[in-house]
Amino acid sequence: RPNAPSGRLAISVGRRWGVMRYQWIKKYYDAGMPGYDNDGIKVFVAAGWITAEQYKQITKVEYVTDGLR
Protein backbone atom coordinates (compact mmCIF):
# COMPACT_ATOMS: atom_id res chain seq x y z
CA ARG A 1 0.00 0.00 0.00
CA PRO A 2 1.54 3.28 -1.03
CA ASN A 3 0.39 5.33 1.99
CA ALA A 4 0.96 2.67 4.65
CA PRO A 5 3.41 3.59 7.42
CA SER A 6 6.69 1.73 7.48
CA GLY A 7 9.55 1.08 9.88
CA ARG A 8 9.37 2.66 13.33
CA LEU A 9 6.23 4.58 12.40
CA ALA A 10 4.42 1.33 11.60
CA ILE A 11 5.47 -0.11 14.96
CA SER A 12 4.28 3.03 16.73
CA VAL A 13 0.93 2.96 14.94
CA GLY A 14 0.57 -0.75 15.70
CA ARG A 15 1.21 -0.22 19.41
CA ARG A 16 -1.24 2.66 19.54
CA TRP A 17 -3.95 0.49 17.95
CA GLY A 18 -3.16 -2.24 20.46
CA VAL A 19 -3.58 0.17 23.37
CA MET A 20 -6.79 1.55 21.89
CA ARG A 21 -8.20 -1.95 21.39
CA TYR A 22 -7.38 -2.89 24.98
CA GLN A 23 -9.00 0.28 26.35
CA TRP A 24 -12.07 -0.17 24.18
CA ILE A 25 -12.51 -3.84 25.17
CA LYS A 26 -11.97 -3.08 28.88
CA LYS A 27 -14.44 -0.19 28.78
CA TYR A 28 -17.15 -2.40 27.26
CA TYR A 29 -16.37 -5.27 29.67
CA ASP A 30 -16.55 -2.95 32.68
CA ALA A 31 -19.85 -1.53 31.40
CA GLY A 32 -21.31 -5.05 31.13
CA MET A 33 -22.03 -4.77 27.41
CA PRO A 34 -23.64 -7.90 25.89
CA GLY A 35 -21.00 -10.25 24.50
CA TYR A 36 -18.24 -8.74 26.62
CA ASP A 37 -18.16 -11.41 29.30
CA ASN A 38 -15.16 -13.64 30.06
CA ASP A 39 -15.87 -15.97 27.13
CA GLY A 40 -16.47 -13.04 24.79
CA ILE A 41 -13.13 -11.48 25.73
CA LYS A 42 -11.37 -14.78 24.89
CA VAL A 43 -12.31 -14.14 21.26
CA PHE A 44 -10.11 -11.04 21.27
CA VAL A 45 -7.16 -13.05 22.62
CA ALA A 46 -7.67 -15.70 19.93
CA ALA A 47 -7.80 -12.96 17.27
CA GLY A 48 -4.57 -11.42 18.57
CA TRP A 49 -6.20 -8.11 19.54
CA ILE A 50 -5.13 -8.47 23.18
CA THR A 51 -2.70 -10.74 25.01
CA ALA A 52 -3.46 -13.40 27.61
CA GLU A 53 -1.95 -11.04 30.21
CA GLN A 54 -4.33 -8.26 29.14
CA TYR A 55 -7.22 -10.75 29.36
CA LYS A 56 -6.23 -11.38 32.98
CA GLN A 57 -5.98 -7.63 33.66
CA ILE A 58 -9.49 -7.10 32.30
CA THR A 59 -11.27 -10.13 33.75
CA LYS A 60 -9.15 -10.89 36.86
CA VAL A 61 -9.17 -14.51 35.66
CA GLU A 62 -6.23 -16.50 34.25
CA TYR A 63 -6.60 -17.07 30.50
CA VAL A 64 -7.11 -20.73 29.67
CA THR A 65 -7.76 -21.86 26.12
CA ASP A 66 -10.81 -23.99 25.52
CA GLY A 67 -8.96 -26.15 23.00
CA LEU A 68 -10.87 -24.87 19.98
CA ARG A 69 -7.97 -22.96 18.51
Side-chain angles (χ1 to χ4, degrees):
R1 299 183 326 202
N3 294 327
S6 62
R8 287 191 299 206
L9 178 59
I11 292 168
S12 175
V13 170
R15 285 187 187 140
R16 184 170 47 228
W17 274 108
V19 170
M20 290 173 61
R21 285 178 181 154
Y22 169 82
Q23 292 170 341
W24 167 65
I25 293 166
K26 182 168 180 9
K27 177 180 173 181
Y28 281 25
Y29 178 86
D30 291 345
M33 296 292 288
Y36 286 81
D37 56 6
N38 291 1
D39 288 334
I41 303 301
K42 283 184 178 183
V43 173
F44 295 112
V45 178
W49 279 32
I50 61 171
T51 64
E53 181 61 32
Q54 289 172 322
Y55 173 89
K56 185 176 179 181
Q57 290 172 357
I58 293 170
T59 65
K60 310 295 186 253
V61 175
E62 193 73 41
Y63 177 77
V64 179
T65 62
D66 55 11
L68 297 177
R69 188 163 186 216

